[in-house]
Amino acid sequence: MGQSGVVSDNVVWGSGLDGIQAAGYGLGQVRVSGNTCSGNGGSGMVVQFGVSGENEYVRVERNVGYANGGVGIEWLTANATTVGCNDWFGNAKGDIRGRPASAEDFSDDPLFCDAAGGDFRLRDMSPLVDRVGCGQVGALGVGCGVTATVVRRLTADRVSDGVRVAWELEEGSTASEIWVERSENGLGWSRPATERWREGRVVVELDRSVGLEQGYWYRLVAQEGRDVVILGAAVRVEASPTARFALVRVSPNPARGPVRIEFSLASAAAIDLELFDVQGRSVASLAHGQWPAGKHVAAWPGLTRGGTTAPSGLYVVRFRYPGGEESRRFVRSS
């Protein structure tokens, strides 16, 4: 390359040498972007540019170097004005050589449709489809893994004993299996061990293996025929805030069986957690007396003070603590 210009949207596959060699000195404005280099005998990309004037720049962005015999990208000079959103993954001699890695680059399996067969389109679940802050990475768009399963709802919230993930699908789902995956940074994903149950059409999964000081991303993944696909966008759960006096959650609602009442205390205190019917009559005492600071769960098995099964109807949970009071309604169904 001897003039200002663009090296963009190329797929270089199976060359016995380097995939792309881009070099030049005293150039104006150069952009090397959106290229996919895979399975080449040498490095995915070799870059050598000189930048001498304030109006000159070199941008190396949104490229993929995957499974090459050398490195993902080799810098013969360190000059580049902007480097970022590149994916260097699975190369025989490492990701980068010749300069420090950019904090904006990453190393994730691109999940091509069929890299061995030369199909470098992206699966629906590829991390390159719509990378946060980058957009699409690589030369080609999505070409496989199309799903007929659509998510109506996906939420994730902290509860006293973990993170509660709830999801619901539109009618007509064709997926043979659906599961939740978790990530601490939105990049590396894994499937946590969860407890799963249903609340009507909504599937709830409780992830107990989380830390209070760590935020998490959650996403829904499905087996759709022979493809594994991501369903919708991921959702974020922030690190747990400092505990406060609060009636956090009453679930499920409506309820047929036992009910969980989650509450938190900013400090050790004397509290009163009581259940009333719609006429204001006390049905059950759920928690009373001195409790330590933190998050807690009380369970109501659906029985009155006399030990009989409570009838269907509207109920109110009242939480009294020093300096305040909160209440929450729920429906018990038969």
Side-chain angles (χ1 to χ4, degrees):
M1 213 179 137
Q3 302 293 328
S4 301
V6 175
V7 180
S8 180
D9 303 319
N10 298 288
V11 174
V12 184
W13 172 54
S15 164
L17 304 175
D18 300 320
I20 291 177
Q21 295 182 344
Y25 289 89
L27 301 175
Q29 300 174 351
V30 176
R31 179 166 56 90
V32 182
S33 68
N35 300 287
T36 296
C37 300
S38 177
N40 299 291
S43 295
M45 301 179 66
V46 177
V47 179
Q48 184 176 14
F49 286 111
V51 178
S52 58
E54 62 180 20
N55 294 323
E56 298 178 0
Y57 67 73
V58 175
R59 294 178 178 171
V60 180
E61 304 168 307
R62 299 187 301 104
N63 300 286
V64 181
Y66 171 78
N68 294 285
V71 295
I73 184 169
E74 181 172 3
W75 296 92
L76 299 184
T77 57
N79 293 333
T81 310
T82 303
V83 180
C85 294
N86 300 290
D87 184 18
W88 316 116
F89 180 84
N91 299 285
K93 296 184 179 179
D95 295 339
I96 300 170
R97 184 164 60 205
R99 64 172 284 171
S102 167
E104 305 302 320
D105 287 350
F106 54 95
S107 181
D108 284 349
D109 188 339
L111 298 179
F112 295 122
C113 288
D114 182 12
D119 185 350
F120 294 99
R121 294 173 299 169
L122 305 174
R123 293 179 177 269
D124 278 0
M125 69 177 301
S126 168
L128 312 187
V129 170
D130 189 13
R131 187 82 178 187
V132 175
C134 301
Q136 181 186 303
V137 179
L140 302 177
V142 180
C144 56
V146 176
T147 176
T149 302
V150 178
V151 178
R152 173 179 293 178
R153 167 188 174 186
L154 174 61
T155 60
D157 302 284
R158 283 194 179 271
V159 293
S160 59
D161 47 356
V163 171
R164 181 182 188 272
V165 182
W167 49 273
E168 180 182 359
L169 304 180
E170 295 283 3
E171 296 285 355
S173 168
T174 59
S176 58
E177 184 183 5
I178 299 172
W179 63 92
V180 167
E181 290 187 344
R182 185 185 73 198
S183 171
E184 294 184 1
N185 53 16
L187 302 178
W189 294 86
S190 61
R191 183 175 181 178
T194 63
E195 299 172 23
R196 178 186 286 199
W197 67 89
R198 281 188 172 273
E199 297 179 1
R201 288 181 50 83
V202 178
V203 178
V204 179
E205 300 199 38
L206 179 62
D207 180 8
R208 298 180 183 270
S209 61
V210 293
L212 293 177
E213 294 78 22
Q214 174 67 55
Y216 298 93
W217 289 92
Y218 288 88
R219 69 183 185 186
L220 207 56
V221 183
Q223 183 73 48
E224 189 79 34
R226 297 172 60 184
D227 294 310
V228 176
V229 297
I230 296 172
L231 302 177
V235 294
R236 174 74 174 171
V237 175
E238 299 299 337
S240 181
T242 303
R244 59 188 179 90
F245 288 107
L247 183 56
V248 178
R249 188 190 306 275
V250 177
S251 64
N253 185 15
R256 292 186 177 180
V259 177
R260 292 165 49 91
I261 298 92
E262 302 165 24
F263 61 100
S264 64
L265 280 67
S267 59
I271 63 156
D272 185 58
L273 189 66
E274 195 165 0
L275 181 66
F276 297 86
D277 64 18
V278 71
Q279 281 81 35
R281 296 172 298 197
S282 178
V283 176
S285 177
L286 305 173
H288 181 74
Q290 192 77 11
W291 282 65
K295 295 185 176 181
H296 306 280
V297 176
W300 180 54
L303 302 178
T304 67
R305 290 179 183 274
T308 61
T309 300
S312 302
L314 180 66
Y315 290 84
V316 179
V317 176
R318 187 187 68 190
F319 177 44
R320 285 182 170 172
Y321 50 87
E325 176 181 311
E326 292 184 37
S327 61
R328 192 75 59 88
R329 296 185 176 190
F330 73 93
V331 175
R332 176 173 170 80
S333 59
S334 56

